[in-house]
Amino acid sequence: MITRSAHEMSSAMVSGEITSQELTKKHLERISAVDKEVHAFLHVDTEGAMSQAKAVDDARARGEKLGPLAGVPLALKDVLVQKGIPTTCGSKILEGWRPPYDATVVTRLKNAGVVILGKTNMDEFAMGSSTENSAYGPTHNPWDLSRIPGGSGGGSSASLAAFQAPLAIGTDTGGSIRQPAAVTGTVGVKPTYGGVSRYGLVAFSSSLDQAGPCARTVLDAALLHGVIAGHDPKDATSIDSPVPQVVAAARSGDVKGMKIGVVKELNGDGYQAGVRSRFEESLEHLAKAGAEIVEVSCPNFEYALAAYYLIAPSECSSNLARFDAMRYGLRVGDSDGASAESVMNFTREVGFGREVKRRIILGTYALSSGYFDAYYGSAQKVRTLIMQDFTNAFTKADVLVSPTSPTTAFKIGEKANDPLAMYLNDIATIPVNMAGIGGMSVPNGLAPEDNLPVGFQIMAPAMQDQRMYSVGASLEASLLSQWGAPLLSKIPALAGSK
Ligand code: GLN
């Protein structure tokens, strides 16, 4: 049962084959069995999950009309607040904090009867591409436990790949939903900026952050997208227009007549050979399914990474100022006569990890008077150029595509001391965030050289998220015969304990 899709689990509950309580219990048992090795979770809410499951079972027994994901378990990235449940953002500075309210995403999940199993591991404050920056130790990739599961949302994607949960929530500021999806062979979607409420999402870089669905199939991601998306007056950047028809698109998977633009700049020399060859094969699948493949050029994407590493740290240096030892979690050096300033300094020194400090320092510098125009101002201009590249490209194609990540999962420790090597993981995902548009990663088979998962990225104009689902579902269907359904049934690690 736990290897099925969320959609199939839902049908099994509707037909009476299984109850939500039984299904939830099976997932909790799976977590107990494998999470020592995977470390996808920072907190498991056994009691809360079982009582949510019981509420759904009771409602079903009363004959109430339930949503399509009612009773299905889900893993929540630890950057979204859930009332009364520890929320750490992977940081020591929030240790012991229990938020007094639910994020809008959490409220919507609860209203839909989705069962929240617990909080997933992540790079501290979502800064990283490997989950090694978590203050609570790294998550391991279920495909090969010596490798990273991507980041920052490695816990969410690993929980799907290890069959600990059929659904998860991630957040994506520069690729943190899509890159983990790519390297764990799962589906991850960054919706259009403003498509999903940021209320209760602990801010890293407010103009880039977006929560989105993670799943093992495109349809499951669409169903979850449908639950969490939509206007929220509590988020000033939330878009007040109808949610794109993502579920219908995922069900039809129709790409006939669609123009698919291959971004020339996102498929070059720095990409692993097997990543490129699988990408080329998938273009052929899409052409066979009736799409027209064209090439597009986005010359300013070359500057996206550099601009991102000015904008994101600048916004983070401001957002993380709120962790001042007075309001949340950790407090260090609070002895008689200690000044507020020294308590604040000690707490931030002890509470933040190295990467977070690096970003705060970078951002503070980029925003400082005399440097503001040269760094932050220039980066914002580059951002406009990237948006213009997308606008031009979308006159030639309905969606754009590229490999999601330049390589398959690397070894834990391999890039931990080389920030630039780590940052380069997001070379293909960052432009989407800079432009505020939608991006999706779907499984694209295994790289021949290392038998590890590869991701295929699909990008669509703002509020045209359904187009990504059409292409993703088409590709998923074409790859089914080659790789099996889901691709994850081939997962080598942990096979014995499944
Ligand atoms: N890896 C990128 C970074 O470190 C993106 C992170 C994210 O999307 N949250 O900033």
Side-chain angles (χ1 to χ4, degrees):
M1 180 61 72
I2 64 170
T3 55
R4 295 191 197 174
S5 69
H7 175 59
E8 290 162 343
M9 290 178 195
S10 172
S11 307
M13 283 186 278
V14 171
S15 72
E17 192 188 331
I18 195 165
T19 65
S20 175
Q21 288 168 89
E22 288 160 351
L23 185 64
T24 302
K25 194 153 168 274
K26 278 185 193 296
H27 284 95
L28 291 166
E29 282 166 3
R30 173 72 177 165
I31 294 170
S32 305
V34 303
D35 210 48
K36 258 196 225 59
E37 291 167 273
V38 179
H39 194 222
F41 285 85
L42 291 177
H43 178 81
V44 179
D45 181 21
T46 304
E47 234 174 79
M50 288 310 295
S51 83
Q52 288 172 59
K54 182 173 184 312
V56 172
D57 288 338
D58 290 349
R60 202 183 300 279
R62 286 194 300 270
E64 278 177 33
K65 200 175 146 18
L66 300 171
L69 294 177
V72 179
L74 168 142
L76 183 67
K77 190 175 178 184
D78 202 25
V79 69
L80 284 141
V81 303
Q82 184 182 350
K83 189 173 177 181
I85 302 294
T87 299
T88 67
C89 299
S91 181
K92 286 279 177 214
I93 210 159
L94 279 176
E95 209 165 38
W97 182 56
R98 287 179 188 251
Y101 70 105
D102 280 333
T104 296
V105 166
V106 171
T107 304
R108 291 195 175 172
L109 291 170
K110 286 182 175 174
N111 290 345
V114 176
V115 173
I116 302 174
L117 294 169
K119 308 298 290 288
T120 57
N121 199 10
M122 54 183 284
D123 286 298
E124 188 174 4
F125 287 106
M127 298 173 201
S129 307
S130 68
T131 319
E132 290 167 291
N133 294 337
S134 167
Y136 302 96
T139 297
H140 299 258
N141 190 324
W143 288 84
D144 173 349
L145 295 170
S146 69
R147 292 177 189 269
I148 59 105
S152 63
S156 285
S157 297
S159 74
L160 302 173
F163 302 102
Q164 295 169 302
L167 298 171
I169 297 288
T171 62
D172 192 311
T173 304
S176 284
I177 289 176
R178 290 162 289 157
Q179 181 256 7
V183 301
T184 57
T186 58
V187 178
V189 182
K190 187 209 95 76
T192 296
Y193 183 81
V196 174
S197 170
R198 288 185 302 109
Y199 180 74
L201 193 186
V202 179
F204 158 18
S205 180
S206 313
S207 74
L208 300 163
D209 299 340
Q210 189 66 193
C214 308
R216 290 192 292 256
T217 71
V218 173
L219 177 58
D220 284 358
L223 291 167
L224 184 54
H225 192 140
V227 166
I228 61 173
H231 182 241
D232 177 16
K234 290 181 183 149
D235 171 2
T237 59
S238 170
I239 296 174
D240 189 2
S241 62
V243 177
Q245 297 289 311
V246 293
V247 175
R251 283 191 199 278
S252 87
D254 185 6
V255 295
K256 269 188 216 78
M258 204 180 227
K259 278 196 179 161
I260 296 184
V262 178
V263 183
K264 200 171 86 185
E265 288 78 6
L266 297 183
N267 188 20
D269 286 343
Y271 291 73
Q272 188 178 320
V275 169
R276 291 183 71 177
S277 59
R278 289 285 173 248
F279 178 69
E280 299 298 333
E281 282 169 28
S282 287
L283 293 178
E284 282 170 33
H285 282 302
L286 290 167
K288 264 196 221 122
E292 185 189 339
I293 311 294
V294 297
E295 191 182 72
V296 299
S297 173
C298 296
N300 295 297
F301 282 15
E302 192 189 328
Y303 311 111
L305 195 72
Y308 172 87
Y309 277 99
L310 289 166
I311 292 170
S314 296
E315 293 184 13
C316 114
S317 75
S318 161
N319 275 325
L320 270 58
R322 63 168 62 84
F323 302 109
D324 57 2
M326 303 297 147
R327 285 177 280 196
Y328 314 91
L330 192 72
R331 181 178 297 186
V332 179
D334 190 8
S335 55
D336 270 357
S339 68
E341 197 185 350
S342 82
V343 174
M344 198 182 297
N345 287 344
F346 271 129
T347 304
R348 287 170 69 88
E349 171 60 30
V350 174
F352 287 139
R354 282 183 59 186
E355 183 62 25
V356 171
K357 286 180 190 155
R358 179 182 291 125
R359 306 260 181 130
I360 291 174
I361 292 167
L362 262 172
T364 305
Y365 185 76
L367 292 176
S368 58
S369 83
Y371 295 101
F372 185 91
D373 287 343
Y375 293 116
Y376 188 74
S378 305
Q380 290 291 21
K381 287 181 188 151
V382 170
R383 193 169 183 175
T384 304
L385 294 175
I386 290 167
M387 286 178 188
Q388 285 169 356
D389 275 1
F390 272 119
T391 306
N392 290 338
F394 283 128
T395 62
K396 301 188 185 79
D398 301 301
V399 295
L400 305 181
V401 295
S402 76
T404 308
S405 185
T407 68
T408 54
F410 47 90
K411 292 267 187 194
I412 291 178
E414 196 179 317
K415 300 186 181 177
N417 294 317
D418 185 347
L420 185 59
M422 194 66 87
Y423 298 169
L424 282 166
N425 276 288
D426 304 311
I427 192 114
T429 48
I430 277 175
V432 159
N433 303 76
M434 297 289 268
I437 65 170
M440 168 190 274
S441 181
V442 284
N444 197 24
L446 305 180
E449 59 269 47
D450 53 21
N451 268 329
L452 289 167
V454 172
F456 184 95
Q457 180 176 230
I458 307 150
M459 300 165 266
M463 292 310 274
Q464 299 296 332
D465 302 34
Q466 77 284 356
R467 293 186 196 169
M468 308 188 285
Y469 284 93
S470 302
V471 178
S474 168
L475 193 57
E476 185 180 57
S478 307
L479 294 177
L480 211 66
S481 55
Q482 195 179 349
W483 297 107
L487 174 66
L488 293 159
S489 57
K490 294 188 169 37
I491 206 155
L494 308 164
S497 44
K498 198 145 67 192

